[in-house]
Amino acid sequence: MRNKEIIQIAGLSFLTILFFCLSFPPADLGYFAWFALVPWFILIIRVKKYVLLSSYFVGVLFFFTELSWLRHVTYAAWLLLSLYCALYFLCFAFCIRRAVLKLKLPIVFVAPCVWIALEYVRSHLLSGFPWFFAGHTQYRCLPVIQICDITGVSGVSFIIIMVNAYIAWLIAHCFLKEKRNEKNEEIALWVGRKHEFIYLSYILPPLFVIGALWYGVHWLKGYKPYDGPVVCLVQGNIPQDVKAAPSEEEEVDTLRKYYDLSVCIKGEPVDIVVWPETMVPGILNINPDLTGRKIDYLSQLTVVQLAHELNANLLLGGISLFLSEEEQRYFNSVYFYGINGKLLDRYDKIHLVPFGEFTPLKKYFPFLAKLVPYSVGLSPGETPTLFHLKTLQDQTFSFGASICYEDTVPALLRNLKKQGADFIFNVTNDGWFHDSAELEQHLAIMVFRAVENRTGMARAANTGISAFVSPDGNIYNKLTDSEGRQKEISGVLLNRIKLVKGDNTYYTLYGDWFSLVCLTVTGGIVLSSFFKRLYT
C-alpha cells in the first residue's frame, strides 16, 4: 500500500473517531453526530483495500474510548466488549460495499437501513448492549427526538445516518469525476449520475429531516403536561468499595445515611420516597429470625419507622431472598411500602447483567463465577410489577419500576406502559463507574424511554445522576450541589412527576417495528448481493 493511501485511511478514520466520540458524553456535542461518519463513509467506498480492517479499527478505537468507564470494574471486559462491538462497524462496511458496489443501490438509503439493523442486533444478541446508538446523541434536542413515540430511538438514528450518507454522497458528486475505467469504477458507481435513484437521493433525505422536525415542533406545541405525585429521590453517594464487601458497621452506616437524608424532608407533603438500587443493606422480605443477622432486624425496623415518620409511601432498592428446602435464591429487587409501614408489593429485576449479576454457563464452567462481583449469583424475576400509589390528595396512580440498566431495554418499559403505568421509576447504583461519563450516558438513554411511551420518569441513583424526565424528554430537574456537581454527591431531590394525557403511543403498541423493517431490508440486500454474484 502506498504512503498516500495509508495517510488517507488514517486521516479519514481519525476524523470519524474524533467526531463520533465528541457526539456522546462527556463532550456531549450532539451536533457532531450529523457529520461525524462522513469521512468513514467516503473511506468505505473510495478505498479498495483494507476497508474492512480499517472499519474494524474505527470501531475498536471508538468503543475503547467511550467504554473507558469499564476500567473501574474490569479491564478485561473493557477490552473484550470494545472488540466485540467493533465487529458491527466491520459488518456495516461489508454490507454497504455489497449493496452499493454489487447491487448499485444508493448509499443514502442503504446506509441508514443497515445501521439500524445492526443497532437492533447489538441490542438483543448475547443479552444485548443497547448503548451508543447514533440517536442517543440527540437526547437534548427535543424537536428531533419526538418521532421516537412512533419509531423508537431507531428513527432518530436512521435520520442521522441518512444525513451523514447524504453529505458524503454530495461530496462525491462535487469533487469526484465519473470515469468508468477499471481503476475507479467503484467511485463511478457510488457517484451514480445515471442511477435511477439519483433524484430520490437528492430530494428524500432533506424531506426526512424536515418531516421529523415538523412532527417534533408540532407535538411540542400541543404538549400540555399536568402534575403527578410529589416524589423525593434520595442519593446517598455510598462508594462502591463499601457496597461490594461491607462490614456490619458499614452496613449500619449506609442505612443510617439514607434514613437521615430522607427525614430531612419531614414536614413536606411527599407522596413517595425513593431509594436507589440495593441501598437497603438488610433483607426485607423474610423473618429476620431465619437469618439471625442484626442488619436485617435493623433494616426492617428502620423502614417501618421512616414510613410513619414521613407519612409517605416508600420505594426501596434492596436484595430479596427466596428460601426453600432445596435451595435459596437471591433477587435484585425494589420494595413498595405504604404510609403505614406495611410491605405492599415487590418487583424482582428481570433483565440481569451478565458477569455483573449472574454467571452464564456457570454450571459447566464453575471458574466463571469468580467474574461476578457478588458473592452469590442473582436470579432473574419472572414478571413486571405494577404498583398502585394513593397520594395525599386521594388520587390513585399506577407506576412501574426498572432497576439499573433495565431502562436501556425498551421492551421492559413498553410492557409497563401497556399494563397501565402512569409513570416509571428507575433505581440504579452506578457507583461502579465513579464520576465517569457512564452516568451521563445512562441518563441520556432513559430520556428516550420517556418519549417512546410518553410517560414521566424519575431516576434515583446512588452516586448520581438523580433526575426527573418529562414525557417530552426534557430533563427538568437534577440533583446538584452548591458547586454545580451532579455526580458523587449526596442529597435529596423533591419534585412532581410530569404526566400527559393520551392513549398508548404507536411505539408502545407495536414496539421495534421500524428496526425490524430495516433488518428485513438489510437481510434482503445482503442475500441479493450474493445471489447476483452466483447468477451473473
Side-chain angles (χ1 to χ4, degrees), residues 255-304:
L255 184 62
R256 181 183 295 112
K257 183 168 188 177
Y258 268 90
Y259 174 83
D260 290 342
L261 285 170
S262 301
V263 296
C264 286
I265 63 163
K266 187 176 180 180
E268 297 282 350
V270 177
D271 294 311
I272 185 168
V273 175
V274 185
W275 288 10
E277 174 191 17
T278 66
M279 286 305 116
V280 179
I283 296 174
L284 301 178
N285 69 308
I286 62 171
N287 188 329
D289 291 334
L290 295 176
T291 63
R293 297 197 316 161
K294 175 184 175 182
I295 193 61
D296 296 335
Y297 285 101
L298 190 57
S299 294
Q300 295 188 22
L301 289 173
T302 300
V303 168
V304 173

Side-chain angles (χ1 to χ4, degrees), residues 32 100 155 167 189 235 238 240 251 263 327 334 345-346 358 364 394 403 443 449 460 469 476 519-520 523-524 532:
F32 273 83
V100 175
I167 295 172
L189 289 175
Q235 181 173 311
I238 306 299
Q240 190 54 39
E251 289 180 323
V263 296
E327 62 175 344
V334 287
D345 213 336
R346 189 183 90 226
F358 78 102
Y364 304 101
D394 288 331
I403 302 174
L443 177 60
R449 304 294 88 83
V469 179
Y476 61 93
L519 181 63
T520 302
K532 182 176 181 180

Side-chain angles (χ1 to χ4, degrees), residues 5-14 16 37-58 93 97 107 168 186 190:
E5 291 177 310
I6 295 175
I7 294 173
Q8 183 184 56
I9 291 174
L12 293 174
S13 298
F14 173 77
T16 283
L37 303 177
V38 171
W40 180 39
F41 286 178
I42 295 174
L43 175 65
I44 289 175
I45 301 301
R46 287 201 65 183
V47 176
K48 203 166 186 178
K49 295 181 179 180
Y50 306 108
V51 172
L52 298 184
L53 180 62
S54 61
S55 296
Y56 187 64
F57 172 78
V58 169
R97 289 181 68 84
I107 189 173
E186 295 183 356
W190 185 36

Side-chain angles (χ1 to χ4, degrees), residues 211-350:
L213 288 173
W214 176 87
Y215 177 83
V217 171
H218 178 75
W219 193 93
L220 290 171
K221 282 184 177 180
Y223 172 56
K224 296 179 180 179
Y226 65 96
D227 288 337
V230 179
V231 177
C232 175
L233 306 176
V234 185
Q235 181 173 311
N237 191 29
I238 306 299
Q240 190 54 39
D241 56 351
V242 173
K243 283 287 299 162
S247 65
E248 183 178 281
E249 183 180 356
E250 288 172 329
E251 289 180 323
V252 174
D253 287 343
T254 296
L255 184 62
R256 181 183 295 112
K257 183 168 188 177
Y258 268 90
Y259 174 83
D260 290 342
L261 285 170
S262 301
V263 296
C264 286
I265 63 163
K266 187 176 180 180
E268 297 282 350
V270 177
D271 294 311
I272 185 168
V273 175
V274 185
W275 288 10
E277 174 191 17
T278 66
M279 286 305 116
V280 179
I283 296 174
L284 301 178
N285 69 308
I286 62 171
N287 188 329
D289 291 334
L290 295 176
T291 63
R293 297 197 316 161
K294 175 184 175 182
I295 193 61
D296 296 335
Y297 285 101
L298 190 57
S299 294
Q300 295 188 22
L301 289 173
T302 300
V303 168
V304 173
Q305 180 180 342
L306 183 63
H308 284 294
E309 195 164 353
L310 297 180
N311 192 37
N313 300 275
L314 307 176
L315 187 72
L316 311 174
I319 298 297
S320 60
L321 173 63
F322 172 79
L323 289 174
S324 68
E325 294 181 358
E326 294 81 17
E327 62 175 344
Q328 61 181 32
R329 291 188 292 158
Y330 292 86
F331 300 88
N332 189 350
S333 306
V334 287
Y335 297 88
F336 180 49
Y337 283 82
I339 59 176
N340 58 0
K342 181 180 179 181
L343 178 60
L344 300 178
D345 213 336
R346 189 183 90 226
Y347 165 65
D348 300 327
K349 186 180 181 186
I350 295 172

Side-chain angles (χ1 to χ4, degrees), residues 456-457 467-478 495-498:
M457 295 189 69
F468 288 85
V469 179
S470 57
D472 65 342
N474 180 38
I475 305 172
Y476 61 93
N477 201 3
K478 297 180 184 179
N495 211 323
R496 285 186 176 271
I497 290 277
K498 291 189 181 296

Side-chain angles (χ1 to χ4, degrees), residues 293-520:
R293 297 197 316 161
K294 175 184 175 182
I295 193 61
D296 296 335
Y297 285 101
L298 190 57
S299 294
Q300 295 188 22
L301 289 173
T302 300
V303 168
V304 173
Q305 180 180 342
L306 183 63
H308 284 294
E309 195 164 353
L310 297 180
N311 192 37
N313 300 275
L314 307 176
L315 187 72
L316 311 174
I319 298 297
S320 60
L321 173 63
F322 172 79
L323 289 174
S324 68
E325 294 181 358
E326 294 81 17
E327 62 175 344
Q328 61 181 32
R329 291 188 292 158
Y330 292 86
F331 300 88
N332 189 350
S333 306
V334 287
Y335 297 88
F336 180 49
Y337 283 82
I339 59 176
N340 58 0
K342 181 180 179 181
L343 178 60
L344 300 178
D345 213 336
R346 189 183 90 226
Y347 165 65
D348 300 327
K349 186 180 181 186
I350 295 172
H351 191 87
L352 300 180
V353 179
F355 298 108
E357 295 173 315
F358 78 102
T359 308
L361 304 176
K362 181 173 67 173
K363 180 179 178 181
Y364 304 101
F365 306 101
F367 68 91
L368 292 175
K370 297 180 180 179
L371 299 177
V372 179
Y374 294 98
S375 58
V376 293
L378 299 177
S379 299
E382 297 180 355
T383 58
T385 301
L386 196 65
F387 302 103
H388 303 285
L389 171 68
K390 187 173 182 180
T391 70
L392 298 175
Q393 290 77 32
D394 288 331
Q395 295 176 296
T396 301
F397 294 93
S398 298
F399 71 92
S402 61
I403 302 174
C404 191
Y405 287 173
E406 285 189 321
D407 62 341
T408 70
V409 183
L412 291 176
L413 274 68
R414 278 183 51 238
N415 287 338
L416 287 171
K417 180 63 175 178
K418 288 171 71 174
Q419 288 181 13
D422 296 306
F423 56 91
I424 300 172
F425 289 116
N426 176 250
V427 298
T428 186
N429 173 31
D430 287 355
W432 296 97
F433 311 108
H434 299 279
D435 63 345
S436 69
E438 188 274 347
L439 281 67
E440 289 101 337
Q441 293 165 6
H442 191 180
L443 177 60
I445 294 173
M446 192 182 82
V447 166
F448 291 89
R449 304 294 88 83
V451 178
E452 288 166 353
N453 301 288
R454 295 303 181 193
T455 181
M457 295 189 69
R459 181 172 185 260
N462 172 42
T463 57
I465 303 170
S466 297
F468 288 85
V469 179
S470 57
D472 65 342
N474 180 38
I475 305 172
Y476 61 93
N477 201 3
K478 297 180 184 179
L479 179 63
T480 307
D481 69 5
S482 58
E483 298 178 0
R485 296 179 302 171
Q486 298 169 352
K487 299 181 288 186
E488 293 193 332
I489 62 172
S490 61
V492 296
L493 185 63
L494 197 66
N495 211 323
R496 285 186 176 271
I497 290 277
K498 291 189 181 296
L499 306 175
V500 65
K501 294 180 179 179
D503 298 328
N504 286 333
T505 67
Y506 194 88
Y507 181 80
T508 300
L509 294 174
Y510 301 105
D512 293 317
W513 66 272
F514 185 74
S515 296
L516 290 172
V517 169
C518 291
L519 181 63
T520 302

